[in-house]
Amino acid sequence: MGMTAVHARSSRSVLGIAGEPIERWRSILEHASQITASTDLVGRLVATAFFEDSTRTRTSFTIAAGRLGATVVDLSVGSSSANKGESIVDTARTLAAMGVEALVVRSALAGLPGVIAQELPELVVINAGDGRHEHPTQALGDALTIAEATDCPSFDLSNRRVAIIGDVGASRVARSNVALLTGLGASVVCAGPPTLVPRTLEGLGCEVCWSMDDAIDGADIVMMLRIQFERQTAGQRAIASRRAYRSAFGMTEERAHRLEEHVLIMHPGPTNRGLEIDPSVADGPRSLIKQQVTNGVRARMAVLAACLSG
Amino acid sequence: MNLLIRQARVLNPASNFDQVADIAIQNGRIAAIGAGLSPTEADQIVDADGLIACPGLIDPHVHLREPGQVAKEEIASGTRAAVAGGFTTVCCMPNTNPALDSPEMIEWALMKSKQSARCRVFPVAAATVGRAGEQITEIDLLSAAGAVAISDDGDVVENPRMMKHILQACHHAGLAFMQHCQESSLTVGAVMHDGAVSARLGLVGWPREAEEIIIERDIRLNRTVGCRYHVQHLSSGGSVEIIRRAKADGQFVSAEASPHHLTLTDEFCAGLDGQGYNTSGKMNPPLREQSDIDAIIAGVVDGTIEVLATDHAPHTAEEKGQPFETAPFGIIGLESALGIYAQALVEPGHIDWPHLIAMLTINPARLCNLDRASRKNDGLGEIFVGGAADITLIDPNLEWTFSMNDVAGKSHNSPFFGRSLRGRAVATIVHGKPQFTLNDLAASAAH
């Protein structure tokens, strides 16, 4: 391991949206919007290493790689002992020696993909979610969804306003989305209780507000986040009760009715139905949840194609 | 070996002495101080023209990791680091494994230091058994065994009733109590300062209040006790103001600042490109913001903070190479400290060399009962005829770049590599013996 462990970016890895030129993401989005199944990556080896449970993201990557003809190896080890940096780097080194070119990593630890990328510059590392930090491919799928649903074919979102509601402080989806959507020109407001949405999030380039009703007023897209009970430390619950939270920050049927007609609703899933979003809204006509899942695969195809090309 | 240090700028803050003079050292003690001393037969002459000769530097807060964590550091290597930085005395914290929480463990640490240390080592003993916060240690007996202060450093004493008991016991034993100020309910899962950078990196933030409310609480508890209460490694500007007010109010409170809290902000944790994770910026308490640095420096200038301490905390490369959230807190500091202090405090003109040297000698000596008032002729932190010949020679104008090669201890977890510094210890004399010299010490022997 490096003595000082300064985890800088490698050029091909996808570690996070923030800090990268927006052109990189715009070109991936443009490719994603027209990508189709191909044999472009036949004979290429991609491995997924999920040190935190996730079925949907891993499956999405596996399908994306498969549609391009790549071979996918899965070494998911949901155990916490494997979350130690050193052993993971050793594992990655072994995989690289076996011919794996791209490693898709999910971890509960912020920055873990960067540790691997720093130690193994020859390996393309794709961050599939690291702690509370970033989930870049989720944001790429979401931006594709927003652009298509609100008719912005060139990914210029400068007239769009997005409200992100809920557990923003603990959300890697929110961090990646704020960076990407503001980079594409959208204005973003984050709202939730102060225990979950600290003022310091303004530094990400979004507005911060502690009233959901204020935040959704004037928004074109309302993105609901899952309350991440697993990231709330023991004995330190950040909400008084589920019903109190739902009343203040839930996308209830009643709130959805009050939205202007064109406003669309998103959720990265999995949903806590009846808590942050009512089932009738999640399955209703304003919901983009299904498109998000579909577009997640397209975005991941474009990311893999970009990372493994050349 | 007898030494004659010639033509040094002798700085002895305890007596406000600041003159060019010679110092004669015989049999480990100061034999004479004055102009134009003549060498004796056995003298090795040190031409110290342009150098500062001051009492050996004292660091009241280091982690030597022995027993129990010798892969990080041990007494031999940690004191090698100390003398390389100009320190002739270190006070080691009790968070070893097992903890220094009994008279037997204090005796063991002193015995082990006698065998392997390159400088003087004085143990700070734990306040509670196993540092677990549940049972008070035998503070009178710890003092008799040689402990020079009491602290559960690494952990706060959480329970207010226990805290008051400890303050009373320290007062009875005449020892200072050193608090690691951290209200732990506010720092669950926290790994860096609570601010814009932690929000950006997705790391749980550690608010300033976690430090400040413990200081407020303890000062209140100590009001009717009157123990010497010492705040370790303060990080928040608000803490400085609390201590300033308490001192004005006549309370017995002191505080120390560390090199990293004088020079680095939370941005350092984000690495060079601002989006990475730099574990050499991870410490407890965390690096904060420029306004905190400014307040801490102001506290140094007006005397609110009278002691400097490195909190030298070695960790292995494997440990610090982990992701930010699981990597341990702490950095090494002994080898680079003097250059960093000079850069942060003297170069910009905040304080002068005599003030800096006082913060590194007589002030920590008094804090830990190592001064002449407590130890008579064995008093440390000042230069006096008949006293122990612990002398540090400093070249205040030496320009150097701190690098891995300058590290004398076992671990290399420093945020300061590559930093250009001015001012460095060129010789560290402990009890009359040079334990570190940057170059050949003697210009020439007599004759």
Side-chain angles (χ1 to χ4, degrees):
Chain A
M1 306 293 295
M3 287 295 185
T4 53
V6 181
H7 304 128
R9 299 281 164 111
S10 85
S11 52
R12 288 153 71 228
S13 288
V14 175
L15 303 178
I17 300 290
E20 299 265 355
I22 193 68
E23 291 71 36
R24 182 181 188 196
W25 309 127
R26 200 188 296 275
S27 86
I28 285 177
L29 287 168
E30 276 159 8
H31 189 197
S33 67
Q34 33 193 289
I35 202 161
T36 51
S38 74
T39 56
D40 288 356
L41 297 183
V42 166
R44 313 295 291 271
L45 261 175
V46 175
T48 56
F50 278 55
F51 300 102
E52 199 182 45
D53 289 337
S54 158
T55 313
R56 61 171 60 211
T57 304
R58 192 179 67 226
T59 309
S60 179
F61 267 107
T62 304
I63 290 170
R67 285 214 180 137
L68 297 172
T71 304
V72 184
V73 201
D74 172 40
L75 38 103
S76 292
V77 260
S79 86
S80 61
S81 67
N83 269 322
K84 294 262 161 72
E86 183 67 11
S87 56
I88 290 177
V89 170
D90 283 344
T91 305
R93 194 170 277 128
T94 308
L95 287 170
M98 291 175 180
V100 167
E101 293 172 86
L103 183 65
V104 179
V105 186
R106 162 159 301 187
S107 166
L109 298 174
L112 178 77
V115 175
I116 300 172
Q118 157 133 333
E119 293 300 314
L120 298 166
E122 70 275 21
L123 193 68
V124 168
V125 180
I126 298 171
N127 180 3
D130 60 332
R132 300 170 176 81
H133 178 225
E134 282 231 32
H135 192 354
T137 58
Q138 174 72 38
L140 288 162
D142 291 348
L144 184 58
T145 303
I146 292 171
E148 291 183 347
T150 65
D151 199 23
C152 300
S154 63
F155 299 98
D156 175 5
L157 303 182
S158 26
N159 294 316
R160 301 289 175 263
R161 183 165 171 84
V162 180
I164 302 180
I165 311 293
D167 195 356
V168 183
S171 174
R172 53 196 176 207
V173 173
R175 264 182 197 78
S176 290
N177 261 310
V178 170
L180 185 57
L181 298 177
T182 56
L184 295 170
S187 70
V188 177
V189 55
C190 292
T195 47
L196 299 178
V197 187
R199 276 265 171 248
T200 47
L201 289 168
E202 285 171 350
L204 303 178
C206 57
E207 298 159 43
V208 166
C209 146
W210 291 333
S211 152
M212 177 176 181
D213 292 313
D214 288 351
I216 63 179
D217 185 25
D220 304 295
I221 298 280
V222 180
M223 187 182 290
M224 304 303 298
L225 298 177
R226 186 172 64 89
I227 290 267
Q228 305 198 62
F229 289 107
E230 73 274 20
R231 290 194 210 291
Q232 290 183 18
T233 28
Q236 300 218 327
R237 284 191 55 172
I239 62 175
S241 71
R242 295 172 70 95
R243 67 179 186 183
Y245 182 83
R246 176 175 177 271
S247 139
F249 298 102
M251 183 53 83
T252 57
E253 217 176 279
E254 182 269 333
R255 267 201 184 92
H257 272 305
R258 279 193 279 130
L259 293 171
E260 282 182 60
E261 205 170 325
H262 76 284
V263 179
L264 299 167
I265 294 169
M266 300 173 75
H267 190 302
T271 52
N272 294 308
R273 281 171 178 249
L275 178 57
E276 69 258 355
I277 190 165
D278 281 3
S280 61
V281 182
D283 301 330
R286 293 176 186 275
S287 171
L288 294 173
I289 294 174
K290 219 185 309 172
Q291 287 92 317
Q292 285 177 272
V293 176
T294 307
N295 289 333
V297 175
R298 295 163 74 202
R300 287 174 185 114
M301 287 170 75
V303 164
L304 286 166
C307 288
L308 291 175
S309 69
Chain B
M1 176 172 41
N2 296 337
L3 286 172
L4 180 62
I5 299 166
R6 272 187 157 164
Q7 291 290 309
R9 176 185 177 190
V10 178
L11 276 184
N12 186 44
S15 63
N16 286 319
F17 187 89
D18 181 0
Q19 283 176 29
V20 173
D22 301 349
I23 301 174
I25 297 172
Q26 283 170 15
N27 304 319
R29 293 199 171 261
I30 310 280
I33 306 164
L37 299 182
S38 44
T40 62
E41 196 74 10
D43 276 340
Q44 183 176 2
I45 294 177
V46 183
D47 174 14
D49 187 22
L51 303 182
I52 289 170
C54 65
L57 307 184
I58 299 172
D59 191 328
H61 189 152
V62 305
H63 298 272
L64 297 180
R65 306 297 191 204
E66 193 177 353
Q69 297 180 300
V70 294
K72 300 170 192 269
E73 194 77 284
E74 53 196 2
I75 291 170
S77 60
T79 53
R80 205 162 60 226
V83 294
F87 294 92
T88 59
T89 294
V90 295
C91 301
C92 60
M93 288 298 144
N95 61 338
T96 48
N97 187 14
L100 306 182
D101 62 357
S102 66
E104 291 77 10
M105 285 303 298
I106 295 298
E107 282 160 12
W108 181 88
L110 287 168
M111 183 200 71
K112 185 78 195 193
S113 300
K114 206 168 184 182
Q115 290 169 358
S116 62
R118 301 285 292 271
C119 69
R120 299 178 200 268
V121 175
F122 295 97
V124 172
T128 63
V129 175
R131 300 171 50 259
E134 280 163 18
Q135 184 189 336
I136 190 167
T137 52
E138 303 155 304
I139 290 177
D140 279 335
L141 300 182
L142 291 164
S143 174
V148 296
I150 299 296
S151 177
D152 267 358
D153 180 43
D155 288 298
V156 68
V157 175
E158 213 149 309
N159 182 307
R161 186 172 176 279
M162 172 64 81
M163 187 63 247
K164 186 153 186 175
H165 189 178
I166 291 166
L167 292 168
Q168 288 163 334
C170 286
H171 181 258
H172 186 259
L175 296 181
F177 174 76
M178 301 173 161
Q179 181 73 295
H180 172 107
C181 303
Q182 177 187 355
E183 168 51 55
S184 44
S185 70
L186 292 173
T187 62
V188 178
V191 293
M192 69 172 291
H193 172 61
D194 185 26
V197 181
S198 65
R200 187 167 84 224
L201 296 179
L203 297 173
V204 176
W206 183 306
R208 295 183 179 91
E209 308 91 85
E211 176 173 290
E212 295 160 359
I213 64 177
I214 292 295
I215 303 176
E216 293 265 27
R217 179 200 75 171
D218 290 350
I219 286 171
R220 184 66 50 142
L221 287 170
N222 195 33
R223 196 177 282 268
T224 55
V225 179
C227 164
R228 284 184 295 139
Y229 173 79
H230 180 74
V231 175
Q232 299 185 302
H233 44 48
L234 64 78
S235 67
S236 159
S239 302
V240 180
E241 186 48 37
I242 293 164
I243 294 164
R244 185 179 285 126
R245 269 192 278 117
K247 283 187 153 185
D249 192 31
Q251 302 291 308
F252 293 101
V253 54
S254 60
E256 73 194 25
S258 303
H260 40 283
H261 291 127
L262 291 164
T263 47
L264 303 174
T265 67
D266 58 345
E267 287 286 351
F268 188 83
C269 300
L272 296 176
D273 64 356
Q275 301 293 337
Y277 293 83
N278 185 353
T279 61
S280 67
K282 181 175 177 182
M283 31 242 168
N284 173 353
L287 300 175
R288 298 203 185 272
E289 299 178 25
Q290 188 60 45
S291 60
D292 299 283
I293 292 180
D294 295 342
I296 292 170
I297 290 175
V300 167
V301 170
D302 73 6
T304 301
I305 299 165
E306 58 277 83
V307 171
L308 298 169
T310 60
D311 191 10
H312 181 77
H315 295 291
T316 65
E318 289 70 29
E319 291 166 325
K320 275 296 203 181
Q322 289 178 48
F324 200 94
E325 287 168 279
T326 47
F329 293 97
I331 54 162
I332 59 169
L334 285 165
E335 297 96 334
S336 54
L338 185 59
I340 301 289
Y341 294 142
Q343 184 170 65
L345 299 170
V346 178
E347 270 178 52
H350 298 305
I351 63 174
D352 57 13
W353 274 101
H355 187 159
L356 174 61
I357 297 301
M359 296 184 77
L360 292 167
T361 57
I362 187 64
N363 296 358
R366 286 181 180 138
L367 172 68
C368 297
N369 297 350
L370 300 174
D371 58 334
R372 209 169 159 187
S374 309
R375 289 166 55 95
K376 308 283 186 297
N377 257 6
D378 289 326
L380 304 175
E382 61 178 302
I383 300 174
F384 57 96
V385 173
D390 284 19
I391 305 276
T392 301
L393 293 180
I394 297 166
D395 183 344
N397 296 312
L398 181 69
E399 292 184 4
W400 61 299
T401 301
F402 182 59
S403 79
M404 299 265 266
N405 297 330
D406 298 309
V407 172
K410 270 193 178 180
S411 294
H412 294 77
N413 49 312
S414 170
F416 295 121
F417 292 132
R419 192 176 268 248
S420 297
L421 300 171
R422 186 172 167 173
R424 183 174 188 177
V426 294
T428 308
I429 299 162
V430 184
H431 204 66
K433 262 174 70 179
Q435 291 287 359
F436 166 81
T437 55
L438 186 60
N439 302 305
D440 276 345
L441 177 63
S444 61
H447 313 302

